[in-house]
Every structure is written in C-alpha cells, then in structure tokens.
Amino acid sequence: MASSYERGRVGLLLVDLVNENFSEDGKAYAIYASEYERLGTIGNLRKLIAGVRRHKDIPIFYSKTSFTDEDYSTWRHVSGMHRKMFDNRLFEAGTWNTEFYDDLAPRPGDVILAEHKGLDVLHHTDLEFQLRQRGAEYLAIAGVSGIMGVESTARTAMERAHHVTTFTDAIAAPGGPVTYQAMMRGLNMVSHSVVSVDDFLASLDDLSA
C-alpha cells in the first residue's frame, strides 16, 4: 500500500463536515445517523484527521455547501437533490448549520475552500488551484454524502489524472447497507484505492519510516 503514494504529494479532502450533517441538531443528521453508528463514521473521521495531522507535509482541505436566500428563491432549474435541500432550507449560508462540526473542525494551517452549491468540489471550488499550489497529486476524500459529494469529486479527480483514495469507514450515505454496497461498487470504479482509515494511516506511516 505504501507504494501507492509519494511523500510530500498527498492531500486530504473533507467534504461537508458541518453541523447540518454531524450534529444531532442538524437537519440532515437523521438521514445519516444509523450509518454513522454502523460504520463508526464520526470516530473514524476523528481518527483520520488526527492521524493525517501527524504528517506535517499533508495538507487538509475542508469544503462545505451553503445556499443563500437568493439561491433558494431564484434558481430557474432546481434538481431533485437541490429541491430536497431547498424545501428544508438545508445548508443555509451564515448560520450555525453551515459551521464546521466542532469535533472535526479545521485548525490553523488547514485550507478552507470556497463554499460550493453543487456536488463536485473540484468543479465548484478552488480545490484544483489549492492542490497545484501544494503539489498534491494523491487525493484522499472522506465525508458525506458518499453517493453525492464524495463520489462526484472522486470521479472528476480521477478524470483529471489525480490518484484517488476513498474510504470504507470515513463516509456515509442515506439508505443503509444496500446503498452502502452500491456506493462501494461505485467508488471502486472511480478510485485507485478504497481503504479503511487504519490502512490509509498505516500507509502514511510507512512513507515516513
């Protein structure tokens, strides 16, 4: 596994680790809660972030979704996914809901990307620019939703010739085990490596040995 990465060229992208998704008071928490518990998602994300922070040469990129009043009221073409979010005013810009969840929040030195309104973080933010500035060719992607933001970004990263790692356990999607299995099949098609947090961190430790 260690040979899959190059020292100094790895980055970690964390997708939508905000209160809306991860706090019990968030509007979207209930759709993920059973999978968080089954997979240990929150604990695994905490372990992943802490483990990556031990490696000073690995940048951590944080992305989040947000929508303004104007977005909710003026979009001409609203997809099914956006309609669900708009009807419930999910990810409302400037509110507690779109603040990063405390246990998983960025620290000084992490890269906070431009906020996005679509699924694909690479397409909708400054992530590509930030990756190039830091020489990060190997991109690991974790967070939610696994079948939307994570998979969409992983697909584009692969198409742009990045080496893509996704996770079996630092991820979640609505729908339970059936959706999870479908998600894993999809991620295995667009990723170069789909691993547990423990295996990923072991690979990073091997690089530093």
Side-chain angles (χ1 to χ4, degrees):
M1 183 69 69
S3 62
S4 296
Y5 305 102
E6 295 181 48
R7 189 169 182 176
R9 303 189 70 183
V10 180
L12 173 65
L13 171 64
L14 300 169
V15 180
D16 285 333
L17 306 191
V18 295
N19 289 324
E20 195 78 284
N21 291 326
F22 285 91
S23 171
E24 292 184 7
D25 294 325
K27 295 177 185 177
Y29 177 82
I31 69 174
Y32 297 111
S34 62
E35 285 297 275
Y36 288 163
E37 182 176 357
R38 187 176 74 86
L39 300 171
T41 303
I42 295 177
N44 286 322
L45 282 165
R46 191 181 298 116
K47 181 191 295 184
L48 173 63
I49 294 167
V52 169
R53 289 197 197 286
R54 294 198 299 267
H55 300 270
K56 303 302 183 184
D57 60 347
I58 300 180
I60 301 178
F61 305 92
Y62 278 81
S63 72
K64 65 177 176 179
T65 305
S66 74
F67 302 104
T68 65
D69 286 337
E70 186 176 6
D71 294 325
Y72 293 132
S73 61
T74 65
W75 281 23
R76 183 176 179 185
H77 302 293
V78 181
S79 68
M81 175 203 69
H82 284 102
R83 185 169 295 107
K84 286 181 178 295
M85 291 192 284
F86 284 16
D87 286 349
N88 294 287
R89 292 185 72 88
L90 267 67
F91 305 106
E92 188 171 1
T95 67
W96 168 90
N97 304 70
T98 53
E99 293 177 5
F100 291 109
Y101 181 60
D102 279 347
D103 279 358
L104 306 172
R107 293 182 182 175
D110 295 336
V111 182
I112 300 176
L113 302 170
E115 297 179 6
H116 59 101
K117 301 178 188 296
L119 298 179
D120 185 341
V121 178
L122 265 167
H123 185 73
H124 288 277
T125 76
D126 55 328
L127 175 58
E128 185 75 65
F129 176 84
Q130 298 287 3
L131 290 170
R132 290 182 183 275
Q133 289 289 352
R134 292 160 178 80
E137 179 182 347
Y138 299 80
L139 183 61
I141 309 171
V144 298
S145 169
I147 57 173
M148 293 188 285
V150 172
E151 185 174 343
S152 295
T153 306
R155 184 181 298 110
T156 298
M158 178 271 290
E159 296 281 5
R160 294 185 185 180
H162 290 283
H163 180 288
V164 177
T165 297
T166 51
F167 294 92
T168 59
D169 53 0
I171 196 169
V178 172
T179 299
Y180 177 83
Q181 292 301 324
M183 176 175 67
M184 288 296 109
R185 288 193 293 271
L187 290 176
N188 272 285
M189 294 299 290
V190 299
S191 306
H192 300 86
S193 184
V194 183
V195 295
S196 69
V197 167
D198 285 342
D199 284 346
F200 178 69
L201 294 178
S203 295
L204 300 184
D205 290 341
D206 287 344
L207 286 180
S208 299

